[in-house]
Amino acid sequence: MLLNRKLLCRVPDSKTITWINIHEAECFGAEIEARKNLDFITPALSDLYLYANTSLIKSTAFVAGNGSDTSNRPMQGQSPYIVNASLQYAGDKNGLNLYLQYNIIGSRISVIGGNQTNYVWEKPHPTLDFKISKTFMKNGLVELSLADILHKDDVLFWDVNDNKKYDAGFPDLVVQSRSYGMTATLSIGYRF
């Protein structure tokens, strides 16, 4: 697939972020998805499902003014892989639902430098979410959600050794590191 006029981020100085267009980019990928009921292990697991989805992506931005392929780069914001997996329990008879989900994306360019070479990369940030809900009194629902249980730091870095992954400490340099922590939500509802 050939993409034209893909936007990228450029930082002309340390205080300004703006957008410019590139002339051409390519993005190729493959995706595989599977969903399986676990009743093949035992009939007691008939309400339990395993789900997985994986994408592999190869993107190339053809940077204007650069004469060799070595100066081309991945598209800004495009990860080379995405993995989603979940375990779900849907108890239609007892009104209990459980949901455990894991997500991770590969290192990707977050910001493009003003000279088209100073890339700020985003380190993979795995997330694990859990949700449990239970119906009560026919029209009631109580739900507990835990988001980002792993609460790994969100790290933006300069890839000094140009291996497209984060090497803690030397040689890669951290541009920004944030920790959002885990979020817990409890809700109770009733339909009249």
Side-chain angles (χ1 to χ4, degrees):
M1 178 169 73
L2 185 61
L3 303 173
N4 290 317
R5 312 301 282 171
K6 174 68 179 161
L7 293 176
L8 65 99
C9 191
R10 183 176 80 156
V11 183
D13 60 43
S14 62
K15 298 178 185 175
T16 304
I17 295 178
T18 188
W19 296 91
I20 63 171
N21 289 325
I22 60 172
H23 297 287
E24 189 176 351
E26 290 179 346
C27 188
F28 299 94
E31 180 179 11
I32 187 167
E33 181 173 308
R35 180 181 168 127
K36 182 67 178 161
N37 182 290
L38 299 183
D39 62 354
F40 70 93
I41 298 171
T42 175
L45 299 177
S46 64
D47 293 332
L48 198 59
Y49 295 87
L50 183 61
Y51 168 82
N53 174 289
T54 300
S55 298
L56 299 173
I57 304 107
K58 168 69 173 153
S59 70
T60 305
F62 302 105
V63 180
N66 291 338
S68 69
D69 289 341
T70 58
S71 58
N72 294 331
R73 59 168 173 76
M75 290 173 27
Q76 180 265 337
Q78 179 62 63
S79 296
Y81 65 85
I82 303 168
V83 176
N84 302 298
S86 66
L87 186 62
Q88 302 171 21
Y89 173 82
D92 294 332
K93 295 177 185 172
N94 61 16
L96 180 66
N97 289 293
L98 301 168
Y99 183 74
L100 183 67
Q101 180 175 343
Y102 175 82
N103 303 91
I104 190 166
I105 60 170
S107 293
R108 61 185 176 185
I109 296 175
S110 178
V111 178
I112 304 296
N115 63 2
Q116 294 287 334
T117 58
N118 297 329
Y119 310 142
V120 175
W121 289 80
E122 179 183 351
K123 174 183 170 280
H125 178 116
T127 60
L128 183 66
D129 301 331
F130 176 74
K131 183 188 293 187
I132 183 170
S133 64
K134 174 78 170 97
T135 58
F136 66 93
M137 296 174 52
K138 192 174 181 179
N139 293 324
L141 180 71
V142 61
E143 184 175 270
L144 173 66
S145 298
L146 303 174
D148 201 3
I149 295 168
L150 302 174
H151 55 86
K152 298 287 186 181
D153 289 347
D154 185 23
V155 176
L156 300 178
F157 66 97
W158 276 308
D159 185 18
V160 176
N161 62 357
D162 199 29
N163 65 356
K164 297 177 180 58
K165 67 178 185 175
Y166 177 62
D167 299 309
F170 186 78
D172 293 339
L173 302 173
V174 173
V175 174
Q176 182 179 40
S177 181
R178 296 177 285 196
S179 180
Y180 297 103
M182 183 182 74
T183 304
T185 306
L186 178 64
S187 61
I188 300 173
Y190 191 85
R191 288 187 197 164
F192 293 95

